[in-house]
Amino acid sequence: LTRPDAAPSEAPAFGFALHATDGTARRGTVTTAHGEIRTPAFMPVGTLGTVKCLYPEQVRATGADILLGNTYHLMLRPGAERVAGQGGLHRFMNWPHPILTDSGGFQVMSLAKLRKITEKGVTFQSHVDGSRHELTPERSLEIQGLLGSDIQMQLDECVALPADRREMERAMELSLRWAARSKAAFFGRRGHGLFGIVQGGDDEELRARSAAGLVEIGFDGYALGGLAVGEPQEVMFRVIEATAPALPADRPRYLMGVGTPQDILGGVARGIDMFDCVMPTRAGRHGLAYTRYGKVNLRNARHADDPRPLDAASDCPAARDWSRAYLHHLVRTGEALGAMLLTHVNVAYYQSLMAELRVAIETGRFAEVKAQIEADWARGDI
Ligand SMILES: NCc1cc(CSc2ccccc2)c2nc(N)[nH]c(=O)c2c1
């Protein structure tokens, strides 16, 4: 951990080291002011400054090296300046490890009311109280800087799929112009990085133009946006296969808002380093558990008398020390502990999957491990 009063020269520079590859799968380390991130990495989402239902130390104990914060939500509540006044997001939420924040544009388009996109940025009404706000590439980075996040994202425009080519091209070209403004506005304190976001929908030529444009501007890392937005999984995989090789091998690649364990396994196989998704946390609050043998819906009556834990071999206490019968009871009665335990199970499962993939790439056994994981999922939970 870098002491808050560390002289600038003491904070480590932002960086990425590639340690091993196995086919197109990569094993690396991202270095930030608040510590290192082992990749492939899954980043739990902490939208409002909390990974819902878990203490930060529980999240850390599952193996998470980095959390996500959400610019859109935090700018509305409690406000970026207020978080800065409290010492920044790391101090505010007591998470002294790396944090990545999104730029907010995606959430504006999916949550806010009366949204208007112009060359300058996006104006919108808060979904909370109807107050009016503006996000520009510059203001988004000012907010992310006030939050103190270690990895900051450019403001971009994501189109839902399917979309016509003109629409995908317009949004991709706007995002590229915003990328240039973001790079110009980014005051990267030592150990803090700025990522560009590749857009272009499911059109490989647009994706190639977006990637080339971002590489020319030059970023600390590159995200693939605009995926897992309604397209079939094979379309997402085709776009990743077309885009990843166009990105520098010595920079991290982040697939935004993805995904299911199956999406992640396929993304790692195709050269993606970082993932995030609300699925493990959201599913946990709805009684759904992710295990080595697939998903288990604890609402289902078949669990009412099952004394077995979810996974006796797990190193996560929530998966090992309580029965399915008890978890079923908690879920059916809506007890808070049900959401807490299943969120813990799910975040721990995602981290154990990433740990298994990191070792598989280090030891040159990725294809074999991938096949075994897929066989376990196919076996299902019995
Ligand atoms: N998979 C859909 C998705 C999700 C997010 C949100 S990822 C996220 C969510 C919460 C906190 C941090 C990151 C996106 N963010 C941006 N900026 N651009 C996209 O195209 C995009 C696509």
Side-chain angles (χ1 to χ4, degrees), residues 16-297:
F16 179 64
L18 194 55
H19 307 310
T21 58
D22 186 343
T24 40
R26 297 149 44 99
R27 168 76 174 89
T29 300
V30 180
T31 301
T32 76
H34 283 90
E36 296 189 342
I37 303 148
R38 297 161 292 176
T39 66
F42 178 78
M43 307 182 283
V45 178
T47 299
L48 278 157
T50 150
V51 176
K52 297 183 188 327
C53 300
L54 293 182
Y55 279 64
E57 51 262 38
Q58 288 177 306
V59 179
R60 184 66 176 168
T62 66
D65 290 338
I66 179 171
L67 294 186
L68 295 192
N70 211 306
T71 295
Y72 170 77
H73 292 84
L74 291 168
M75 73 186 275
L76 299 180
R77 291 181 297 179
E81 282 74 9
R82 172 162 289 155
V83 174
Q86 292 299 316
L89 190 55
H90 294 83
R91 177 71 246 117
F92 194 49
M93 67 184 289
N94 192 20
W95 171 263
H97 310 293
I99 292 175
L100 180 150
T101 48
D102 196 9
S103 49
F106 181 79
Q107 284 78 26
V108 167
M109 300 317 288
S110 45
L111 287 171
K113 303 190 294 277
L114 290 179
R115 309 161 314 240
K116 187 167 180 293
I117 295 187
T118 66
E119 185 67 32
K120 186 168 184 260
V122 292
T123 56
F124 60 94
Q125 271 193 279
S126 162
H127 71 287
V128 176
D129 61 11
S131 53
R132 300 197 56 72
H133 298 266
E134 177 183 54
L135 262 187
T136 63
E138 296 80 10
R139 174 61 182 157
S140 174
L141 288 180
E142 183 183 24
I143 291 169
Q144 296 179 71
L146 286 166
L147 298 175
S149 71
D150 300 278
I151 300 177
Q152 301 176 23
M153 305 305 295
Q154 71 155 92
L155 186 68
D156 61 327
E157 186 191 350
C158 167
V159 294
L161 293 179
D164 66 47
R165 194 179 188 285
R166 266 189 326 284
E167 189 55 10
M168 297 192 292
E169 184 171 39
R170 180 200 56 74
M172 182 276 283
E173 290 176 340
L174 176 62
S175 296
L176 259 187
R177 293 193 296 275
W178 285 357
R181 284 170 51 189
S182 300
K183 178 70 181 288
F186 181 62
F187 173 72
R189 279 170 294 177
R190 194 168 165 76
H192 297 72
L194 173 67
F195 281 22
I197 303 177
V198 179
Q199 290 293 351
D202 58 4
D203 183 294
E204 293 176 31
E205 192 270 330
L206 293 178
R207 287 277 173 179
R209 273 172 40 198
S210 179
L214 292 174
V215 171
E216 176 152 0
I217 296 168
F219 286 93
D220 301 302
Y222 297 86
L224 277 70
L227 290 173
V229 287
E231 78 285 0
Q233 187 190 61
E234 65 268 13
V235 170
M236 178 173 76
F237 285 166
R238 172 174 59 77
V239 170
I240 295 170
E241 287 161 12
T243 308
L247 298 174
D250 65 348
R251 292 284 188 277
R253 298 156 184 176
Y254 165 25
L255 181 55
M256 302 191 84
V258 175
T260 65
Q262 290 75 11
D263 292 337
I264 290 173
L265 187 54
V268 171
R270 292 168 175 80
I272 300 295
D273 306 304
M274 298 162 72
F275 302 84
D276 87 272
C277 190
V278 293
M279 209 161 284
T281 40
R282 184 174 294 168
R285 296 195 302 279
H286 293 94
L288 194 69
Y290 282 91
T291 76
R292 162 173 289 282
Y293 299 111
K295 289 186 287 194
V296 183
N297 183 342

